Coordinates of all heavy atoms in Angstrom, one line a residue:
Chain A
F129 N -33.0 60.7 -20.8 CA -31.6 60.4 -21.1 C -31.3 59.0 -21.3 O -30.5 58.7 -22.2 CB -30.7 61.0 -19.8 CG -29.2 60.9 -20.1 CD1 -28.5 61.6 -21.1 CD2 -28.4 59.9 -19.3 CE1 -27.1 61.5 -21.2 CE2 -27.1 59.8 -19.5 CZ -26.4 60.5 -20.5
T130 N -31.9 58.1 -20.5 CA -31.6 56.7 -20.8 C -32.1 56.2 -22.1 O -31.8 55.2 -22.5 CB -32.4 55.9 -19.6 OG1 -33.7 56.0 -19.8 CG2 -31.9 56.2 -18.3
M131 N -33.0 57.0 -22.7 CA -33.5 56.6 -24.1 C -32.4 56.7 -25.1 O -32.4 56.1 -26.1 CB -34.7 57.5 -24.5 CG -36.0 57.1 -23.8 SD -37.3 58.4 -24.1 CE -37.7 58.1 -25.9
F132 N -31.4 57.6 -24.9 CA -30.4 57.9 -25.8 C -29.0 57.3 -25.4 O -28.0 57.3 -26.2 CB -30.3 59.4 -26.0 CG -31.5 60.0 -26.5 CD1 -32.2 61.0 -25.7 CD2 -32.1 59.7 -27.8 CE1 -33.3 61.5 -26.3 CE2 -33.2 60.2 -28.2 CZ -33.9 61.2 -27.4
F133 N -28.9 57.0 -24.1 CA -27.5 56.7 -23.7 C -27.7 55.6 -22.6 O -28.5 55.6 -21.7 CB -26.9 57.9 -22.9 CG -25.5 57.8 -22.9 CD1 -24.8 58.5 -24.0 CD2 -24.7 57.1 -22.0 CE1 -23.4 58.5 -24.1 CE2 -23.3 57.2 -22.0 CZ -22.7 57.9 -23.0
S134 N -26.9 54.5 -22.9 CA -26.9 53.4 -21.9 C -25.5 52.8 -21.6 O -24.7 53.3 -22.4 CB -27.8 52.2 -22.4 OG -27.3 51.7 -23.5
G135 N -25.4 52.0 -20.7 CA -24.1 51.4 -20.3 C -23.5 50.7 -21.5 O -22.3 50.6 -21.6
G136 N -24.4 50.0 -22.2 CA -23.9 49.1 -23.3 C -24.0 47.7 -22.8 O -24.4 47.3 -21.7
L137 N -23.8 46.8 -23.7 CA -24.0 45.4 -23.6 C -23.3 44.8 -22.4 O -23.9 44.1 -21.5 CB -23.6 44.6 -24.9 CG -23.7 43.2 -25.0 CD1 -25.2 42.8 -25.0 CD2 -23.0 42.6 -26.1
I138 N -22.0 45.0 -22.3 CA -21.2 44.3 -21.3 C -21.6 44.8 -19.9 O -21.8 44.0 -18.9 CB -19.7 44.4 -21.7 CG1 -19.4 43.9 -23.1 CG2 -19.0 43.8 -20.5 CD1 -19.8 42.4 -23.3
P139 N -21.5 46.1 -19.6 CA -21.8 46.5 -18.3 C -23.3 46.0 -17.8 O -23.4 45.6 -16.8 CB -21.9 48.1 -18.4 CG -20.8 48.4 -19.5 CD -21.0 47.1 -20.5
T140 N -24.3 46.1 -18.8 CA -25.6 45.5 -18.5 C -25.5 44.1 -18.1 O -26.1 43.6 -17.2 CB -26.5 45.7 -19.7 OG1 -26.4 47.0 -20.1 CG2 -28.0 45.4 -19.2
Y141 N -24.7 43.4 -18.9 CA -24.6 41.9 -18.6 C -24.0 41.7 -17.2 O -24.5 40.8 -16.5 CB -23.7 41.2 -19.7 CG -23.4 39.7 -19.6 CD1 -24.5 38.9 -19.9 CD2 -22.4 39.2 -19.0 CE1 -24.3 37.5 -19.8 CE2 -22.2 37.9 -18.7 CZ -23.1 37.1 -19.2 OH -22.9 35.6 -19.0
L142 N -22.9 42.4 -16.9 CA -22.3 42.2 -15.7 C -23.1 42.6 -14.5 O -23.2 41.9 -13.5 CB -21.0 43.0 -15.6 CG -19.9 42.5 -16.5 CD1 -18.6 43.5 -16.5 CD2 -19.4 41.0 -16.2
L143 N -24.0 43.6 -14.7 CA -24.9 44.0 -13.8 C -25.9 42.9 -13.5 O -26.2 42.4 -12.4 CB -25.7 45.3 -14.1 CG -26.8 45.8 -13.3 CD1 -26.3 46.2 -12.0 CD2 -27.6 46.9 -14.0
I144 N -26.5 42.4 -14.5 CA -27.4 41.3 -14.4 C -26.8 40.2 -13.7 O -27.4 39.6 -12.7 CB -27.9 40.8 -15.7 CG1 -28.6 41.9 -16.5 CG2 -28.8 39.6 -15.7 CD1 -29.9 42.3 -16.1
K145 N -25.6 39.9 -14.0 CA -25.0 38.7 -13.4 C -24.7 39.0 -11.8 O -24.9 38.1 -11.1 CB -23.5 38.6 -14.0 CG -23.0 37.3 -13.8 CD -21.7 37.1 -14.7 CE -20.7 36.1 -14.2 NZ -19.4 36.2 -14.9
S146 N -24.2 40.2 -11.5 CA -24.0 40.5 -10.1 C -25.3 40.6 -9.3 O -25.3 40.5 -8.1 CB -23.1 41.7 -9.9 OG -23.6 42.8 -10.5
L147 N -26.3 40.8 -10.0 CA -27.7 40.8 -9.3 C -28.2 39.5 -9.0 O -29.1 39.3 -8.5 CB -28.7 41.6 -10.1 CG -28.6 43.1 -10.1 CD1 -29.6 43.8 -11.1 CD2 -28.8 43.8 -8.7
G148 N -27.4 38.4 -9.6 CA -27.9 37.1 -9.4 C -29.0 36.7 -10.3 O -29.9 35.8 -10.0
L149 N -29.3 37.5 -11.4 CA -30.5 37.2 -12.2 C -30.2 36.2 -13.3 O -31.1 35.9 -14.1 CB -31.0 38.5 -12.7 CG -31.8 39.4 -11.8 CD1 -32.2 40.7 -12.4 CD2 -33.1 38.8 -11.3
L150 N -29.0 35.8 -13.6 CA -28.8 34.8 -14.6 C -29.6 33.6 -14.4 O -29.7 33.1 -13.3 CB -27.4 34.5 -14.7 CG -26.3 35.6 -15.3 CD1 -25.0 35.0 -15.4 CD2 -26.9 36.2 -16.6
D151 N -30.2 33.2 -15.5 CA -31.1 31.9 -15.5 C -32.3 32.0 -14.5 O -32.8 31.1 -13.9 CB -30.2 30.8 -15.0 CG -29.9 29.8 -16.1 OD1 -30.8 29.9 -17.1 OD2 -29.0 29.0 -16.1
N152 N -32.7 33.3 -14.3 CA -33.8 33.5 -13.4 C -34.9 34.1 -14.3 O -34.6 34.9 -15.1 CB -33.5 34.5 -12.3 CG -34.5 34.7 -11.3 OD1 -35.7 34.7 -11.6 ND2 -34.2 34.9 -10.1
R153 N -36.1 33.7 -14.2 CA -37.2 34.1 -15.1 C -37.3 35.6 -15.0 O -37.8 36.3 -15.9 CB -38.5 33.4 -14.8 CG -38.5 31.9 -15.4 CD -40.0 31.5 -15.5 NE -39.9 30.1 -16.2 CZ -39.9 29.1 -15.7 NH1 -39.9 29.0 -14.3 NH2 -39.9 27.9 -16.4
L154 N -37.1 36.1 -13.8 CA -37.3 37.6 -13.6 C -36.5 38.4 -14.5 O -36.8 39.5 -14.9 CB -37.0 37.9 -12.2 CG -37.9 37.6 -11.1 CD1 -37.5 37.9 -9.7 CD2 -39.3 38.3 -11.4
V155 N -35.3 37.9 -15.1 CA -34.4 38.7 -15.9 C -35.1 39.1 -17.1 O -34.8 40.0 -17.8 CB -33.2 37.8 -16.2 CG1 -33.4 36.8 -17.3 CG2 -32.0 38.7 -16.6
L156 N -36.2 38.3 -17.6 CA -36.9 38.7 -18.8 C -37.9 39.8 -18.5 O -38.4 40.3 -19.5 CB -37.7 37.4 -19.3 CG -36.8 36.2 -19.4 CD1 -37.7 35.0 -19.9 CD2 -35.8 36.5 -20.5
I157 N -38.2 40.1 -17.2 CA -39.1 41.1 -16.9 C -38.5 42.3 -16.3 O -38.8 43.4 -16.7 CB -40.3 40.5 -16.0 CG1 -41.0 39.3 -16.9 CG2 -41.2 41.5 -15.5 CD1 -41.9 38.6 -15.8
L158 N -37.6 42.2 -15.4 CA -37.2 43.3 -14.5 C -36.4 44.4 -15.3 O -36.8 45.5 -15.2 CB -36.3 42.8 -13.4 CG -37.1 42.2 -12.2 CD1 -36.2 41.8 -11.0 CD2 -38.3 43.0 -11.7
P159 N -35.5 43.9 -16.2 CA -34.7 45.0 -16.8 C -35.5 45.9 -17.6 O -35.2 47.1 -17.8 CB -33.6 44.2 -17.6 CG -33.5 42.9 -16.9 CD -34.9 42.6 -16.5
G160 N -36.5 45.5 -18.3 CA -37.3 46.3 -19.1 C -38.7 46.7 -18.5 O -39.7 46.9 -19.1
L161 N -38.7 46.8 -17.2 CA -40.0 46.9 -16.4 C -40.7 48.2 -16.9 O -41.9 48.2 -17.0 CB -39.7 47.0 -14.9 CG -40.9 46.8 -14.0 CD1 -41.6 45.6 -14.3 CD2 -40.4 46.8 -12.5
I162 N -39.9 49.3 -17.1 CA -40.5 50.6 -17.5 C -39.8 51.0 -18.7 O -38.6 51.2 -18.8 CB -40.4 51.7 -16.4 CG1 -41.2 51.2 -15.2 CG2 -41.0 53.0 -17.0 CD1 -41.0 52.3 -14.0
A163 N -40.6 51.2 -19.9 CA -40.0 51.6 -21.0 C -40.1 53.2 -21.0 O -41.2 53.7 -20.9 CB -40.7 51.1 -22.3
A164 N -39.0 53.9 -21.2 CA -39.0 55.4 -21.0 C -40.0 56.0 -21.9 O -40.8 56.9 -21.6 CB -37.7 55.9 -21.2
F165 N -40.0 55.5 -23.1 CA -40.9 56.1 -24.2 C -42.4 56.0 -23.7 O -43.1 57.0 -23.8 CB -40.7 55.4 -25.5 CG -41.4 56.1 -26.6 CD1 -41.0 57.3 -27.0 CD2 -42.4 55.4 -27.3 CE1 -41.7 57.9 -28.1 CE2 -43.2 55.9 -28.3 CZ -42.8 57.2 -28.7

Side-chain angles (χ1 to χ4, degrees):
Chain A
F129 182 69
T130 65
M131 285 168 70
F132 303 112
F133 208 93
S134 67
L137 180 71
I138 303 302
T140 311
Y141 179 81
L142 291 176
L143 173 70
I144 299 287
K145 198 172 152 191
S146 53
L147 288 173
L149 283 174
L150 286 186
D151 253 340
N152 186 329
R153 284 201 171 88
L154 283 176
V155 79
L156 305 176
I157 294 172
L158 286 184
L161 197 55
I162 296 176
F165 186 70

